[in-house]
Structure formats: C-alpha cells, structure tokens
Amino acid sequence: MTDHPRDLAALQRRLAEFAAVRHWQPYHTPKNLVTALSVEASELLEIFQWLTPEESARVMADPDRAHRVRDEVADVLAYLLQLCEVLGVDPLAALEAKVDRNERRFPVPPNPPDSHPE
Amino acid sequence: MTDHPRDLAALQRRLAEFAAVRHWQPYHTPKNLVTALSVEASELLEIFQWLTPEESARVMADPDRAHRVRDEVADVLAYLLQLCEVLGVDPLAALEAKVDRNERRFPVPPNPPDSHPE
Amino acid sequence: MTDHPRDLAALQRRLAEFAAVRHWQPYHTPKNLVTALSVEASELLEIFQWLTPEESARVMADPDRAHRVRDEVADVLAYLLQLCEVLGVDPLAALEAKVDRNERRFPVPPNPPDSHPE
Amino acid sequence: MTDHPRDLAALQRRLAEFAAVRHWQPYHTPKNLVTALSVEASELLEIFQWLTPEESARVMADPDRAHRVRDEVADVLAYLLQLCEVLGVDPLAALEAKVDRNERRFPVPPNPPDSHPE
C-alpha cells in the first residue's frame, strides 16, 4: 500500500524519480519509450488474441487473466506517461483537444451505423 | 475550447458518452478496443521509426510532427481509457500497484547499469 | 509486369538493390527495420480491427480491402526480408527449425482443445 | 533435422497441416491470425527496444539473442504464411507487385536524401 496521492501528475513524478535513481534516463529517449509503449500494448493484446468477442467480454472473471490485464494496462500507462514527460506533452490536454475535434468530425447520426469508422 | 473538468475520470465519462450517442458500443468489445489501442501505439511509433535517437529527442521542435505526436498520444490514451471502462479496471490504481511492485523488484543500484532491464 | 524470378531470395536481392540505389541503407539499421516491420503489421491489423470474426473471413470479397490487404502483406514481407538480410538470418531455415521444434512441443491431441495455446 | 523441401509453399503446407491435426483452425480466423502476426512482430521488436542503433547492428554476436531473433523471425513468417493461406493471398506475388509499384513511386535520386520517406 501507499499513501501517495493517486493522480496522473503525481504518478508521472513517481515514475520519473523511479527511473532517475536507477540511472535509466540514458535509455529513455522518446524513440525507445514509444517502442516500449508499443511493445506493452501488444503484450496486452496477446491476452486477447485467440479469444472470441464473447470470451473477451468475460476476461476479468478469471483471476489470473484479470491480474495480467491490470499489469499490462499499468505498463502501457507507465510508458505513455514517461513518453509525455520527456516530450513535454500534457496527455489530458491532448485528449481533451482530440475529443473536442472528434465531436465536430463525427456528428451524432440519427441511426446506428453499419460499421465503425476507421 | 471546453469548460469540462480536465481529469481522467471526467474524460473517461466524455468518451463513454461520445461512443454511446454514436451507437459504437457494439464494436467496443474488449478485444476490439485493445486492438485499436495497439494500432494507435504503432501509429505513434511510426512518427519515430526512421529517426536517430538524437532526432527523436527534437521531435517536438517541428510543429507538424508535434501536432501528430499529441494527436496519437490522445488516441492511445482514449482507447486505454475506453478499454478500462468496459473491463472495470482503474488505470491509476493499476499503475500505482505496479510501481509499488517495481520498487521492490528493482532495488536502487549503487552504480549505473550496463543495460536497461527487459 | 516483371520477368524477375519469383522466389524469396530473388525478391530479397531486388529489395536490397532498391534500397541501395536510393541511399537508404544508413536508415536500415536492424532496430529501424524491425520497427518498420512492427508498424506495417499493425497497418495490416488496422484493416481488421472493427470486424467480427465472420466479417474478417469475408475481407477479400471487397476489392478495395483486398487490395489494401495485399499491399500491407507485401510491406510486412518486405521489411521481414530486409531485416533478415542485414542480420544474416535465413528466414526459411529459421521457420523450418521452429516447425521441427513445435512438432515435438505440441503433440497431436486425441481431441480438439478447449483453447488455443498461447 | 528434416528432409522437407525448403521453400515457402512447402512450409505453408506444413503449417496448415500442423494446425489442422491439432484442431486449431476454428481459432485461425483472419482477424486472429493478423493479431498473432502483430504480437509476434512486437516480440521481435522487444529484443531491440533498449538498444542503440550500433548495438542493434551487433545483435547476432550474442548467441542467446541470436537464437531469440531467429525464433521470433520464424513466428512472424509462420503467422504471415498462415494468414495468406486463409485469405488466399500469394505473398510473393503481392511483394513483387509492390516492388514494381515502388520502383515507379520512388525514382532513383541523384543524391542521398535528408530523410527516409515515411
């Protein structure tokens, strides 16, 4: 357990300090961090690769798989936050701006669509 | 611009509502969302694929590339939050638990390491 | 059209010459080529990301999608062959050795399995 | 060791038979196979993620890493061939057509370029 405040900025600072005291910054170029982010996203995908859509909806009912999912979600978020730190990107501001743009780009349709937009 | 509060939980609710009014939930199985997360992480990686480590450190100096980076960071975070929503995973709690585990797993070394642990 | 022989080794030589005359070798480090391979595999995955299993089985019935699939399959194979070239790996020998190992690792079961091995 | 002929089509037939006798075809939808291809490409990328460009050029000098590289190259090629099998795509014809197109798309420049085209 921990008494650190649980917000994104605080976790980002913990991750930065964690890497700094282990002398990992020389490895943490933007290119390497985005590679690690992509690799971790694939490890999360691996859990689902042979599942049917229906099985994927029940994945958290299995305690071992649920633990793996949470672990890989954490890894993806950790590398995303570290990448944003070294690039000076505010991930929440970036997401907010994107949702604003998408609300203009995808008007609410009167009926359900035939397919999900790419 | 927007006057929505800028925190992770609020953005997660906006994303859920955004998808719901567009009738996209049938497509948003955990398997499809994690696939989309992985695809977006690769689109972010694509920006860096031919850059040297030094060029990757200057990527935000180019306004077009900086916009693309922010846009893809937003997409990665958006699909991660939507995946967590359908799975019932708290991403900040998952990350906090992981950092706690990693602090025990990787003791602070006296000297810089020869390589980054895999 | 082309009158080049259509075998893997001949295509590998064409790709090497193609990159050489365009002065692309300095960019074709193993790390960059494997990154490009991973990015192209994700572009292939993107075509399928919102499809049901059944829709994915009919993907070649749509001429535009069929063209995109062939185009991305070509990109994946092109980067795999270029990576093998710079690393000195024989992809067919590697695959043959792997199938030999897998035939010992996965004995033929008497009945269909409940799930695909990871 | 094996006395199977070592060509792409023969390996593709061995892979199809390997999966058939293990009753894995129900799992081998195009969507699942392309997901597995993408996951294996990321496992290959993982070997290189923290390496400098120079270290990546020496990766085969380490016997353990060299074995892992060959193993992951085999996995990528295996899933690419299985995907092509279920889709009815000829990977060599697709690659040849792509190289033909790229020779028209990227004329040979008089001088080395400043960057690799995306």
Side-chain angles (χ1 to χ4, degrees):
Chain A
M1 287 303 294
T2 172
D3 56 358
H4 294 274
R6 185 180 290 170
D7 67 74
L8 213 59
L11 279 164
Q12 204 168 20
R13 283 192 301 274
R14 275 189 80 188
L15 289 166
E17 191 184 353
F18 183 90
V21 297
R22 283 159 187 81
H23 310 282
W24 290 353
Q25 305 107 317
Y27 303 96
H28 285 194
T29 63
K31 178 161 174 155
N32 286 0
L33 288 170
V34 71
T35 303
L37 168 66
S38 166
V39 166
E40 295 299 337
S42 280
E43 292 186 1
L44 186 54
L45 179 56
E46 189 182 13
I47 303 171
F48 295 83
Q49 68 183 336
W50 301 116
L51 304 186
T52 62
E54 296 72 28
E55 287 167 340
S56 90
R58 295 191 301 268
V59 76
M60 303 303 284
D62 178 272
D64 283 348
R65 274 192 178 142
H67 177 80
R68 286 176 62 200
V69 166
R70 283 195 202 92
D71 200 53
E72 299 296 352
V73 162
D75 282 337
V76 170
L77 184 55
Y79 282 119
L80 183 65
L81 292 180
Q82 290 178 93
L83 176 68
C84 286
E85 172 85 12
V86 300
L87 293 177
V89 168
D90 178 337
L92 294 182
L95 178 51
E96 194 172 54
K98 178 83 184 220
V99 179
D100 287 348
R101 281 199 299 281
N102 277 352
E103 286 182 344
R104 291 189 295 271
R105 186 177 159 207
F106 298 107
V108 175
N111 296 306
D114 288 335
S115 65
H116 193 287
E118 290 195 355
Chain B
M1 288 302 296
T2 172
D3 56 358
H4 294 274
R6 185 180 291 169
D7 66 74
L8 212 59
L11 280 163
Q12 204 168 20
R13 283 191 301 272
R14 272 190 82 189
L15 289 166
E17 191 184 353
F18 182 90
V21 296
R22 283 159 187 80
H23 309 282
W24 291 353
Q25 305 108 315
Y27 302 95
H28 286 196
T29 63
K31 180 161 175 155
N32 286 0
L33 288 171
V34 72
T35 302
L37 169 66
S38 168
V39 166
E40 295 299 338
S42 279
E43 292 186 1
L44 186 54
L45 179 56
E46 190 181 12
I47 303 172
F48 295 84
Q49 69 183 338
W50 301 116
L51 303 186
T52 63
E54 297 74 26
E55 287 168 341
S56 89
R58 295 191 301 267
V59 76
M60 302 304 284
D62 177 272
D64 282 349
R65 273 191 180 142
H67 177 79
R68 285 175 62 200
V69 166
R70 282 195 203 93
D71 200 53
E72 299 296 351
V73 161
D75 283 336
V76 171
L77 184 55
Y79 283 118
L80 183 64
L81 292 179
Q82 290 177 92
L83 176 68
C84 286
E85 173 85 11
V86 299
L87 292 177
V89 168
D90 178 336
L92 294 182
L95 178 51
E96 194 172 54
K98 178 84 185 217
V99 178
D100 287 349
R101 282 199 300 279
N102 277 352
E103 285 182 345
R104 291 189 295 272
R105 186 177 159 207
F106 298 107
V108 175
N111 296 306
D114 288 335
S115 65
H116 193 289
E118 290 193 354
Chain C
M1 287 304 295
T2 172
D3 57 357
H4 294 275
R6 185 179 291 171
D7 68 74
L8 212 59
L11 280 164
Q12 204 168 21
R13 283 192 300 274
R14 274 190 80 190
L15 288 167
E17 191 183 352
F18 182 90
V21 298
R22 284 160 185 78
H23 310 280
W24 290 354
Q25 306 107 316
Y27 302 95
H28 286 195
T29 62
K31 180 162 173 154
N32 286 359
L33 288 170
V34 72
T35 302
L37 168 66
S38 166
V39 166
E40 295 299 338
S42 279
E43 292 185 2
L44 186 54
L45 179 56
E46 190 182 12
I47 303 171
F48 295 84
Q49 66 184 338
W50 301 116
L51 303 186
T52 62
E54 296 74 26
E55 288 168 341
S56 89
R58 296 190 303 266
V59 76
M60 303 303 284
D62 177 90
D64 282 348
R65 274 194 179 140
H67 177 79
R68 285 174 63 200
V69 165
R70 284 194 202 91
D71 199 54
E72 299 296 351
V73 161
D75 282 336
V76 170
L77 184 55
Y79 282 119
L80 183 64
L81 292 179
Q82 291 177 91
L83 176 69
C84 286
E85 172 86 12
V86 300
L87 292 178
V89 168
D90 177 337
L92 294 182
L95 178 52
E96 194 171 54
K98 178 85 185 217
V99 178
D100 287 349
R101 281 199 300 280
N102 277 352
E103 286 182 344
R104 291 188 297 273
R105 186 177 159 208
F106 298 106
V108 175
N111 296 307
D114 288 334
S115 65
H116 193 288
E118 291 196 354
Chain D
M1 287 302 296
T2 174
D3 57 358
H4 294 274
R6 184 180 292 170
D7 66 75
L8 213 58
L11 280 163
Q12 204 168 22
R13 284 191 300 274
R14 274 190 80 191
L15 289 167
E17 191 183 355
F18 182 90
V21 297
R22 283 160 187 80
H23 310 282
W24 290 353
Q25 305 109 315
Y27 303 95
H28 285 196
T29 63
K31 179 160 174 155
N32 286 0
L33 288 170
V34 72
T35 302
L37 168 66
S38 167
V39 166
E40 295 300 337
S42 280
E43 291 185 2
L44 187 53
L45 178 56
E46 189 181 13
I47 302 171
F48 295 83
Q49 67 183 339
W50 301 116
L51 304 186
T52 63
E54 297 73 27
E55 288 168 340
S56 89
R58 295 191 302 268
V59 76
M60 302 304 284
D62 177 271
D64 282 349
R65 274 193 178 141
H67 177 79
R68 285 175 63 200
V69 165
R70 282 195 203 91
D71 200 53
E72 299 296 351
V73 161
D75 283 335
V76 170
L77 184 55
Y79 283 119
L80 183 65
L81 292 179
Q82 291 177 91
L83 176 68
C84 286
E85 172 85 12
V86 300
L87 292 178
V89 168
D90 178 337
L92 294 182
L95 178 51
E96 194 171 54
K98 177 85 185 217
V99 178
D100 287 349
R101 282 199 300 278
N102 277 351
E103 285 181 345
R104 291 188 297 272
R105 184 177 160 207
F106 298 106
V108 174
N111 296 306
D114 288 334
S115 66
H116 194 287
E118 289 194 356

mmCIF file of all heavy atoms in Angstrom, chain D residues 25-59:
data_model
loop_
_atom_site.group_PDB
_atom_site.id
_atom_site.type_symbol
_atom_site.label_atom_id
_atom_site.label_comp_id
_atom_site.label_asym_id
_atom_site.label_seq_id
_atom_site.Cartn_x
_atom_site.Cartn_y
_atom_site.Cartn_z
ATOM 1 N N GLN D 25 -7.893 -24.863 -36.437
ATOM 2 C CA GLN D 25 -8.490 -23.985 -37.474
ATOM 3 C C GLN D 25 -9.608 -23.085 -36.946
ATOM 4 O O GLN D 25 -9.712 -21.944 -37.406
ATOM 5 C CB GLN D 25 -9.055 -24.788 -38.658
ATOM 6 C CG GLN D 25 -8.074 -25.722 -39.299
ATOM 7 C CD GLN D 25 -8.456 -27.146 -38.958
ATOM 8 O OE1 GLN D 25 -8.767 -27.464 -37.796
ATOM 9 N NE2 GLN D 25 -8.434 -27.998 -39.967
ATOM 10 N N PRO D 26 -10.455 -23.554 -35.978
ATOM 11 C CA PRO D 26 -11.522 -22.631 -35.541
ATOM 12 C C PRO D 26 -10.972 -21.330 -34.952
ATOM 13 O O PRO D 26 -11.648 -20.306 -34.979
ATOM 14 C CB PRO D 26 -12.269 -23.437 -34.467
ATOM 15 C CG PRO D 26 -11.966 -24.866 -34.775
ATOM 16 C CD PRO D 26 -10.581 -24.876 -35.339
ATOM 17 N N TYR D 27 -9.750 -21.388 -34.411
ATOM 18 C CA TYR D 27 -9.122 -20.187 -33.847
ATOM 19 C C TYR D 27 -8.437 -19.358 -34.921
ATOM 20 O O TYR D 27 -8.136 -18.195 -34.700
ATOM 21 C CB TYR D 27 -8.105 -20.588 -32.770
ATOM 22 C CG TYR D 27 -8.715 -21.406 -31.671
ATOM 23 C CD1 TYR D 27 -8.663 -22.795 -31.689
ATOM 24 C CD2 TYR D 27 -9.391 -20.785 -30.623
ATOM 25 C CE1 TYR D 27 -9.260 -23.552 -30.689
ATOM 26 C CE2 TYR D 27 -9.988 -21.532 -29.616
ATOM 27 C CZ TYR D 27 -9.908 -22.917 -29.657
ATOM 28 O OH TYR D 27 -10.506 -23.659 -28.669
ATOM 29 N N HIS D 28 -8.167 -19.956 -36.070
ATOM 30 C CA HIS D 28 -7.355 -19.284 -37.091
ATOM 31 C C HIS D 28 -8.207 -18.485 -38.075
ATOM 32 O O HIS D 28 -8.098 -18.641 -39.287
ATOM 33 C CB HIS D 28 -6.478 -20.313 -37.805
ATOM 34 C CG HIS D 28 -5.317 -20.756 -36.963
ATOM 35 N ND1 HIS D 28 -4.226 -21.414 -37.457
ATOM 36 C CD2 HIS D 28 -5.058 -20.598 -35.641
ATOM 37 C CE1 HIS D 28 -3.365 -21.671 -36.473
ATOM 38 N NE2 HIS D 28 -3.851 -21.189 -35.362
ATOM 39 N N THR D 29 -9.073 -17.607 -37.532
ATOM 40 C CA THR D 29 -9.749 -16.622 -38.374
ATOM 41 C C THR D 29 -8.710 -15.628 -38.877
ATOM 42 O O THR D 29 -7.658 -15.435 -38.249
ATOM 43 C CB THR D 29 -10.791 -15.841 -37.555
ATOM 44 O OG1 THR D 29 -10.109 -15.129 -36.527
ATOM 45 C CG2 THR D 29 -11.826 -16.767 -36.931
ATOM 46 N N PRO D 30 -8.979 -14.957 -40.008
ATOM 47 C CA PRO D 30 -8.039 -13.923 -40.456
ATOM 48 C C PRO D 30 -7.759 -12.890 -39.359
ATOM 49 O O PRO D 30 -6.609 -12.492 -39.150
ATOM 50 C CB PRO D 30 -8.756 -13.300 -41.655
ATOM 51 C CG PRO D 30 -9.597 -14.409 -42.203
ATOM 52 C CD PRO D 30 -10.057 -15.185 -40.989
ATOM 53 N N LYS D 31 -8.780 -12.474 -38.645
ATOM 54 C CA LYS D 31 -8.575 -11.463 -37.593
ATOM 55 C C LYS D 31 -7.622 -11.953 -36.514
ATOM 56 O O LYS D 31 -6.737 -11.222 -36.068
ATOM 57 C CB LYS D 31 -9.930 -11.070 -36.989
ATOM 58 C CG LYS D 31 -9.826 -10.045 -35.869
ATOM 59 C CD LYS D 31 -11.146 -9.353 -35.642
ATOM 60 C CE LYS D 31 -11.090 -8.429 -34.430
ATOM 61 N NZ LYS D 31 -12.078 -7.344 -34.524
ATOM 62 N N ASN D 32 -7.800 -13.212 -36.072
ATOM 63 C CA ASN D 32 -6.909 -13.740 -35.035
ATOM 64 C C ASN D 32 -5.489 -13.935 -35.554
ATOM 65 O O ASN D 32 -4.514 -13.666 -34.836
ATOM 66 C CB ASN D 32 -7.460 -15.066 -34.496
ATOM 67 C CG ASN D 32 -8.665 -14.877 -33.589
ATOM 68 O OD1 ASN D 32 -9.105 -13.746 -33.350
ATOM 69 N ND2 ASN D 32 -9.225 -15.974 -33.100
ATOM 70 N N LEU D 33 -5.353 -14.396 -36.796
ATOM 71 C CA LEU D 33 -4.001 -14.625 -37.328
ATOM 72 C C LEU D 33 -3.249 -13.312 -37.522
ATOM 73 O O LEU D 33 -2.047 -13.236 -37.260
ATOM 74 C CB LEU D 33 -4.087 -15.399 -38.653
ATOM 75 C CG LEU D 33 -4.483 -16.878 -38.514
ATOM 76 C CD1 LEU D 33 -4.769 -17.465 -39.898
ATOM 77 C CD2 LEU D 33 -3.385 -17.702 -37.818
ATOM 78 N N VAL D 34 -3.931 -12.263 -37.964
ATOM 79 C CA VAL D 34 -3.235 -10.979 -38.140
ATOM 80 C C VAL D 34 -2.895 -10.375 -36.771
ATOM 81 O O VAL D 34 -1.862 -9.723 -36.613
ATOM 82 C CB VAL D 34 -4.037 -10.018 -39.046
ATOM 83 C CG1 VAL D 34 -5.254 -9.474 -38.366
ATOM 84 C CG2 VAL D 34 -3.154 -8.869 -39.521
ATOM 85 N N THR D 35 -3.744 -10.636 -35.766
ATOM 86 C CA THR D 35 -3.416 -10.201 -34.406
ATOM 87 C C THR D 35 -2.157 -10.923 -33.920
ATOM 88 O O THR D 35 -1.236 -10.293 -33.374
ATOM 89 C CB THR D 35 -4.599 -10.482 -33.458
ATOM 90 O OG1 THR D 35 -5.759 -9.813 -33.946
ATOM 91 C CG2 THR D 35 -4.294 -9.994 -32.054
ATOM 92 N N ALA D 36 -2.102 -12.228 -34.134
ATOM 93 C CA ALA D 36 -0.927 -13.002 -33.719
ATOM 94 C C ALA D 36 0.323 -12.536 -34.471
ATOM 95 O O ALA D 36 1.414 -12.434 -33.888
ATOM 96 C CB ALA D 36 -1.172 -14.494 -33.966
ATOM 97 N N LEU D 37 0.188 -12.227 -35.756
ATOM 98 C CA LEU D 37 1.311 -11.695 -36.532
ATOM 99 C C LEU D 37 1.840 -10.405 -35.902
ATOM 100 O O LEU D 37 3.049 -10.222 -35.724
ATOM 101 C CB LEU D 37 0.854 -11.431 -37.970
ATOM 102 C CG LEU D 37 1.789 -10.625 -38.865
ATOM 103 C CD1 LEU D 37 3.078 -11.383 -39.125
ATOM 104 C CD2 LEU D 37 1.112 -10.272 -40.185
ATOM 105 N N SER D 38 0.916 -9.519 -35.551
ATOM 106 C CA SER D 38 1.307 -8.241 -34.955
ATOM 107 C C SER D 38 1.968 -8.452 -33.592
ATOM 108 O O SER D 38 2.959 -7.788 -33.252
ATOM 109 C CB SER D 38 0.058 -7.358 -34.839
ATOM 110 O OG SER D 38 0.290 -6.250 -34.025
ATOM 111 N N VAL D 39 1.434 -9.367 -32.796
ATOM 112 C CA VAL D 39 2.017 -9.662 -31.476
ATOM 113 C C VAL D 39 3.434 -10.225 -31.640
ATOM 114 O O VAL D 39 4.358 -9.838 -30.914
ATOM 115 C CB VAL D 39 1.106 -10.637 -30.696
ATOM 116 C CG1 VAL D 39 1.820 -11.228 -29.497
ATOM 117 C CG2 VAL D 39 -0.174 -9.917 -30.253
ATOM 118 N N GLU D 40 3.635 -11.119 -32.603
ATOM 119 C CA GLU D 40 4.973 -11.697 -32.801
ATOM 120 C C GLU D 40 5.962 -10.645 -33.321
ATOM 121 O O GLU D 40 7.143 -10.656 -32.940
ATOM 122 C CB GLU D 40 4.907 -12.884 -33.763
ATOM 123 C CG GLU D 40 4.117 -14.075 -33.250
ATOM 124 C CD GLU D 40 4.662 -14.684 -31.960
ATOM 125 O OE1 GLU D 40 5.853 -14.500 -31.674
ATOM 126 O OE2 GLU D 40 3.888 -15.332 -31.230
ATOM 127 N N ALA D 41 5.505 -9.750 -34.197
ATOM 128 C CA ALA D 41 6.388 -8.669 -34.665
ATOM 129 C C ALA D 41 6.838 -7.807 -33.491
ATOM 130 O O ALA D 41 7.988 -7.357 -33.440
ATOM 131 C CB ALA D 41 5.684 -7.825 -35.727
ATOM 132 N N SER D 42 5.941 -7.599 -32.521
ATOM 133 C CA SER D 42 6.308 -6.827 -31.328
ATOM 134 C C SER D 42 7.272 -7.588 -30.437
ATOM 135 O O SER D 42 8.117 -6.975 -29.772
ATOM 136 C CB SER D 42 5.064 -6.451 -30.526
ATOM 137 O OG SER D 42 4.443 -5.331 -31.105
ATOM 138 N N GLU D 43 7.144 -8.916 -30.390
ATOM 139 C CA GLU D 43 8.094 -9.699 -29.592
ATOM 140 C C GLU D 43 9.494 -9.620 -30.209
ATOM 141 O O GLU D 43 10.499 -9.609 -29.493
ATOM 142 C CB GLU D 43 7.613 -11.147 -29.446
ATOM 143 C CG GLU D 43 6.366 -11.219 -28.575
ATOM 144 C CD GLU D 43 5.891 -12.633 -28.268
ATOM 145 O OE1 GLU D 43 6.552 -13.606 -28.691
ATOM 146 O OE2 GLU D 43 4.853 -12.761 -27.601
ATOM 147 N N LEU D 44 9.549 -9.560 -31.527
ATOM 148 C CA LEU D 44 10.836 -9.350 -32.198
ATOM 149 C C LEU D 44 11.371 -7.949 -31.890
ATOM 150 O O LEU D 44 12.552 -7.764 -31.579
ATOM 151 C CB LEU D 44 10.632 -9.543 -33.703
ATOM 152 C CG LEU D 44 11.826 -9.539 -34.641
ATOM 153 C CD1 LEU D 44 12.904 -10.515 -34.212
ATOM 154 C CD2 LEU D 44 11.379 -9.850 -36.076
ATOM 155 N N LEU D 45 10.485 -6.971 -31.922
ATOM 156 C CA LEU D 45 10.876 -5.586 -31.614
ATOM 157 C C LEU D 45 11.379 -5.458 -30.175
ATOM 158 O O LEU D 45 12.305 -4.683 -29.899
ATOM 159 C CB LEU D 45 9.667 -4.668 -31.848
ATOM 160 C CG LEU D 45 9.818 -3.177 -31.552
ATOM 161 C CD1 LEU D 45 10.973 -2.564 -32.331
ATOM 162 C CD2 LEU D 45 8.519 -2.427 -31.863
ATOM 163 N N GLU D 46 10.770 -6.233 -29.263
ATOM 164 C CA GLU D 46 11.139 -6.143 -27.844
ATOM 165 C C GLU D 46 12.635 -6.401 -27.635
ATOM 166 O O GLU D 46 13.256 -5.807 -26.755
ATOM 167 C CB GLU D 46 10.312 -7.153 -27.038
ATOM 168 C CG GLU D 46 10.473 -6.993 -25.531
ATOM 169 C CD GLU D 46 9.673 -8.017 -24.741
ATOM 170 O OE1 GLU D 46 9.194 -9.006 -25.352
ATOM 171 O OE2 GLU D 46 9.534 -7.838 -23.512
ATOM 172 N N ILE D 47 13.205 -7.303 -28.448
ATOM 173 C CA ILE D 47 14.628 -7.629 -28.305
ATOM 174 C C ILE D 47 15.498 -6.387 -28.535
ATOM 175 O O ILE D 47 16.564 -6.249 -27.955
ATOM 176 C CB ILE D 47 15.011 -8.762 -29.298
ATOM 177 C CG1 ILE D 47 14.144 -10.009 -29.062
ATOM 178 C CG2 ILE D 47 16.499 -9.095 -29.214
ATOM 179 C CD1 ILE D 47 14.298 -11.090 -30.137
ATOM 180 N N PHE D 48 15.002 -5.472 -29.373
ATOM 181 C CA PHE D 48 15.795 -4.301 -29.788
ATOM 182 C C PHE D 48 15.426 -3.019 -29.040
ATOM 183 O O PHE D 48 16.073 -1.987 -29.259
ATOM 184 C CB PHE D 48 15.578 -4.044 -31.299
ATOM 185 C CG PHE D 48 16.090 -5.137 -32.192
ATOM 186 C CD1 PHE D 48 15.328 -6.274 -32.451
ATOM 187 C CD2 PHE D 48 17.343 -5.052 -32.781
ATOM 188 C CE1 PHE D 48 15.797 -7.292 -33.269
ATOM 189 C CE2 PHE D 48 17.823 -6.063 -33.608
ATOM 190 C CZ PHE D 48 17.044 -7.186 -33.848
ATOM 191 N N GLN D 49 14.414 -3.071 -28.152
ATOM 192 C CA GLN D 49 13.813 -1.814 -27.718
ATOM 193 C C GLN D 49 14.751 -0.881 -26.954
ATOM 194 O O GLN D 49 14.625 0.336 -27.065
ATOM 195 C CB GLN D 49 12.513 -2.062 -26.940
ATOM 196 C CG GLN D 49 12.686 -2.742 -25.601
ATOM 197 C CD GLN D 49 11.347 -3.012 -24.918
ATOM 198 O OE1 GLN D 49 10.339 -2.402 -25.214
ATOM 199 N NE2 GLN D 49 11.326 -3.951 -23.995
ATOM 200 N N TRP D 50 15.682 -1.419 -26.195
ATOM 201 C CA TRP D 50 16.570 -0.542 -25.419
ATOM 202 C C TRP D 50 17.963 -0.414 -26.051
ATOM 203 O O TRP D 50 18.859 0.202 -25.467
ATOM 204 C CB TRP D 50 16.703 -1.048 -23.971
ATOM 205 C CG TRP D 50 15.399 -1.112 -23.250
ATOM 206 C CD1 TRP D 50 14.778 -2.229 -22.775
ATOM 207 C CD2 TRP D 50 14.520 -0.014 -22.940
ATOM 208 N NE1 TRP D 50 13.571 -1.909 -22.198
ATOM 209 C CE2 TRP D 50 13.392 -0.550 -22.274
ATOM 210 C CE3 TRP D 50 14.566 1.372 -23.156
ATOM 211 C CZ2 TRP D 50 12.322 0.243 -21.825
ATOM 212 C CZ3 TRP D 50 13.497 2.160 -22.714
ATOM 213 C CH2 TRP D 50 12.406 1.594 -22.059
ATOM 214 N N LEU D 51 18.168 -1.009 -27.210
ATOM 215 C CA LEU D 51 19.490 -0.984 -27.846
ATOM 216 C C LEU D 51 19.712 0.307 -28.633
ATOM 217 O O LEU D 51 18.783 0.850 -29.219
ATOM 218 C CB LEU D 51 19.645 -2.181 -28.790
ATOM 219 C CG LEU D 51 19.448 -3.582 -28.203
ATOM 220 C CD1 LEU D 51 19.788 -4.638 -29.258
ATOM 221 C CD2 LEU D 51 20.276 -3.787 -26.948
ATOM 222 N N THR D 52 20.960 0.759 -28.656
ATOM 223 C CA THR D 52 21.319 1.845 -29.568
ATOM 224 C C THR D 52 21.349 1.280 -30.998
ATOM 225 O O THR D 52 21.391 0.056 -31.189
ATOM 226 C CB THR D 52 22.714 2.400 -29.242
ATOM 227 O OG1 THR D 52 23.665 1.344 -29.444
ATOM 228 C CG2 THR D 52 22.806 2.896 -27.805
ATOM 229 N N PRO D 53 21.345 2.169 -32.008
ATOM 230 C CA PRO D 53 21.466 1.675 -33.386
ATOM 231 C C PRO D 53 22.704 0.787 -33.552
ATOM 232 O O PRO D 53 22.644 -0.255 -34.221
ATOM 233 C CB PRO D 53 21.575 2.957 -34.217
ATOM 234 C CG PRO D 53 20.938 4.024 -33.395
ATOM 235 C CD PRO D 53 21.173 3.650 -31.963
ATOM 236 N N GLU D 54 23.814 1.180 -32.910
ATOM 237 C CA GLU D 54 25.059 0.426 -33.045
ATOM 238 C C GLU D 54 24.932 -0.949 -32.373
ATOM 239 O O GLU D 54 25.380 -1.966 -32.918
ATOM 240 C CB GLU D 54 26.225 1.212 -32.424
ATOM 241 C CG GLU D 54 26.518 2.541 -33.113
ATOM 242 C CD GLU D 54 25.463 3.631 -32.821
ATOM 243 O OE1 GLU D 54 24.804 3.577 -31.746
ATOM 244 O OE2 GLU D 54 25.282 4.519 -33.684
ATOM 245 N N GLU D 55 24.354 -0.982 -31.171
ATOM 246 C CA GLU D 55 24.149 -2.273 -30.505
ATOM 247 C C GLU D 55 23.224 -3.165 -31.326
ATOM 248 O O GLU D 55 23.417 -4.389 -31.379
ATOM 249 C CB GLU D 55 23.546 -2.057 -29.110
ATOM 250 C CG GLU D 55 24.532 -1.473 -28.100
ATOM 251 C CD GLU D 55 23.858 -0.988 -26.822
ATOM 252 O OE1 GLU D 55 22.628 -0.747 -26.841
ATOM 253 O OE2 GLU D 55 24.559 -0.821 -25.809
ATOM 254 N N SER D 56 22.217 -2.558 -31.971
ATOM 255 C CA SER D 56 21.277 -3.364 -32.764
ATOM 256 C C SER D 56 21.975 -4.026 -33.950
ATOM 257 O O SER D 56 21.579 -5.113 -34.382
ATOM 258 C CB SER D 56 20.074 -2.526 -33.224
ATOM 259 O OG SER D 56 20.271 -1.884 -34.466
ATOM 260 N N ALA D 57 23.028 -3.382 -34.448
ATOM 261 C CA ALA D 57 23.769 -3.961 -35.588
ATOM 262 C C ALA D 57 24.623 -5.155 -35.166
ATOM 263 O O ALA D 57 25.062 -5.934 -36.000
ATOM 264 C CB ALA D 57 24.643 -2.886 -36.246
ATOM 265 N N ARG D 58 24.871 -5.285 -33.840
ATOM 266 C CA ARG D 58 25.699 -6.394 -33.340
ATOM 267 C C ARG D 58 24.868 -7.460 -32.646
ATOM 268 O O ARG D 58 25.408 -8.318 -31.924
ATOM 269 C CB ARG D 58 26.731 -5.859 -32.336
ATOM 270 C CG ARG D 58 27.761 -4.903 -32.910
ATOM 271 C CD ARG D 58 28.901 -4.634 -31.905
ATOM 272 N NE ARG D 58 28.432 -4.090 -30.645
ATOM 273 C CZ ARG D 58 28.332 -2.791 -30.350
ATOM 274 N NH1 ARG D 58 28.672 -1.886 -31.255
ATOM 275 N NH2 ARG D 58 27.902 -2.397 -29.172
ATOM 276 N N VAL D 59 23.566 -7.455 -32.824
ATOM 277 C CA VAL D 59 22.688 -8.283 -32.011
ATOM 278 C C VAL D 59 22.947 -9.780 -32.216
ATOM 279 O O VAL D 59 22.791 -10.579 -31.286
ATOM 280 C CB VAL D 59 21.206 -7.905 -32.269
ATOM 281 C CG1 VAL D 59 20.719 -8.453 -33.594
ATOM 282 C CG2 VAL D 59 20.301 -8.329 -31.129
#
